Amino acid sequence: MRAIVIGLLIAAVAGCGGEQAAPRQVVLVTHDSFAVSKPVLRAFERTSGFTLRILQTGDAGAALNRALLTAGTPEGDVFFGVDNNLLSRALGEDLFEPYESPALDRIDPQYVLDDEHRVTPVDHGEVCVNVDRAAFATEPAPTSFEQLALPRHRGRLVVENPATSTPGLAFLLATIAHFGEDGWQSYWRALRENDVLVVDGWEEAYTQRFSGAGGSNGDRPIVVSYASSPPAEVIFAGKALEEAPTAVIASTCFRQVELAGVLRGARNPEGARALLDFMLGERFQRDVPASMFVFPVREGTPLPPAFERFAVVPERPLELPPAEIGENRDRWIGEWTDVVLR
């Protein structure tokens, strides 16, 4: 009898030892521009009981490509940074597990782009043409797509390559939304003839080639950037300003929504869901503008004073359905390359 009891105890201990404890770390895979303040990071860890590790894997396009290469056996639990312009790739390659967060009831429905809830909206940040106010102190600044191609603005515009840059892709899509399938290529031919400068990414375009960025020696007073760039310039100026040094051409703005999802095959799906809930909560959403210079998607979230005063939130930004973008994106980029770079 004693031998039987001992045997049962040994089996029980062995069984307990063989079970893996539920992981208490959540790994967020994201792009290099992701940022969250330390108090908000601590708040998630304190309220959820999970620790958070942030794995940044390049710019938005590179981060998504890397996530797709590891689909099903991911490097983390949540991916943040896929936008509406690249969404079809992520959904088409089965990157995410569906999860409908209860916090979605506080999110503006216009940002919910997947009825199956494989992705969850976290922020939006419209891509718009920006101008250097000082460069146009004695003449009118352009106010439309069409004016950018006028001879008086020759050699003034710098844009990002849509094949390598998410704002560059958004601007290409904006011109397609505005001019239509029959007109956008002619418009880009006009920009090419007007000496448009194309660079690989936003960092080079804005901080090196654009004359309106703080500390820049750039010589181009018009750039593709964001609706939140003017308040960012004010915040980084480090002193009170009555007017932002840059301005947005609101008619050129194209909506960019950033989304997150539970990665298929995640080691810690429970923690992943908790993180998505937290990212939709008031604490995280309130931190979004000052940390990443984008706008929250949670209704009623207050904005920092610089955003309230200097940011542009276009009432009707240009948009294209994600399915249409997915069906045509590669063709459009190829045609753009033929028109502008060859």
Side-chain angles (χ1 to χ4, degrees):
M1 182 69 172
R2 183 181 177 189
I4 294 173
V5 171
I6 292 173
L8 291 173
L9 287 173
I10 291 172
V13 171
C16 291
E19 292 179 0
Q20 290 188 347
R24 303 311 299 169
Q25 183 184 74
V26 183
V27 180
L28 174 64
V29 183
T30 186
H31 52 63
D32 290 345
S33 298
F34 177 82
V36 61
S37 66
K38 288 183 178 179
V40 171
L41 172 61
R42 288 195 294 267
F44 167 72
E45 295 183 331
R46 183 177 65 252
T47 59
S48 71
F50 296 101
T51 59
L52 177 62
R53 181 165 75 92
I54 299 171
L55 177 61
Q56 293 173 299
T57 57
D59 64 23
L64 177 59
N65 287 337
R66 181 163 161 172
L68 291 172
L69 289 173
T70 59
T73 54
E75 296 180 283
D77 304 298
V78 174
F79 182 83
F80 166 76
V82 62
D83 67 13
N84 49 308
N85 303 331
L86 296 172
L87 178 59
S88 63
R89 288 188 60 202
L91 299 185
E93 299 193 35
D94 198 21
L95 186 61
F96 299 111
E97 291 283 355
Y99 173 60
E100 184 174 359
S101 171
L104 281 171
D105 63 357
R106 295 298 305 274
I107 305 306
D108 190 328
Q110 67 178 314
Y111 302 120
V112 180
L113 303 182
D114 177 36
D115 292 339
E116 297 180 37
H117 302 293
R118 290 164 291 181
V119 288
T120 299
V122 175
D123 65 67
H124 68 98
E126 283 66 25
V127 172
C128 316
V129 175
N130 282 219
V131 299
D132 177 2
R133 288 182 184 274
F136 293 98
T138 60
E139 62 173 299
T143 59
S144 67
F145 285 110
E146 289 81 1
Q147 290 182 12
L148 297 176
L150 294 176
R152 64 189 175 95
H153 297 309
R154 181 177 179 81
R156 288 177 160 181
L157 173 64
V158 54
V159 305
E160 300 87 356
N161 188 327
T164 56
S165 163
T166 52
L169 175 58
F171 183 62
L172 169 59
L173 297 174
T175 63
I176 294 169
H178 180 74
F179 291 101
E181 191 69 78
D182 296 332
W184 71 268
Q185 292 190 34
S186 297
Y187 177 67
W188 277 98
R189 288 189 186 95
L191 290 183
R192 184 189 62 190
E193 294 301 315
N194 217 33
D195 193 26
V196 64
L197 175 64
V198 179
V199 298
D200 284 341
W202 178 88
E203 188 76 24
E204 180 181 357
Y206 193 86
T207 66
Q208 299 178 32
R209 306 310 300 258
F210 178 50
S211 62
S216 171
N217 294 318
D219 59 356
R220 299 247 167 176
I222 311 172
V223 66
V224 172
S225 191
Y226 293 91
S228 56
S229 295
E233 287 293 337
V234 171
I235 291 170
F236 287 124
K239 58 183 179 181
L241 297 176
E242 291 300 315
E243 183 179 65
T246 61
V248 165
I249 304 178
S251 64
T252 65
C253 293
F254 188 87
R255 171 159 290 161
Q256 189 175 33
V257 181
E258 282 193 297
L259 309 110
V262 179
L263 286 164
R264 179 170 58 86
R267 184 168 178 264
N268 187 359
E270 178 190 356
R273 293 189 288 269
L275 179 58
L276 286 183
D277 293 343
F278 183 79
M279 293 175 82
L280 295 183
E282 183 180 352
R283 185 73 183 270
F284 185 92
Q285 288 284 301
R286 196 169 62 239
D287 193 65
V288 158
S291 292
M292 293 189 283
F293 293 95
V294 287
F295 296 90
V297 294
R298 182 182 174 96
E299 294 178 323
T301 302
L303 295 174
F307 272 69
E308 290 280 8
R309 186 172 178 186
F310 300 110
V312 172
V313 183
E315 292 185 8
R316 295 180 179 85
L318 294 162
E319 294 183 85
L320 289 171
E324 182 180 350
I325 296 172
E327 184 178 349
N328 296 286
R329 179 182 54 246
D330 293 343
R331 174 177 64 85
W332 285 335
I333 292 174
E335 292 173 352
W336 177 91
T337 301
D338 288 339
V339 168
V340 179
L341 299 184
R342 291 176 181 166

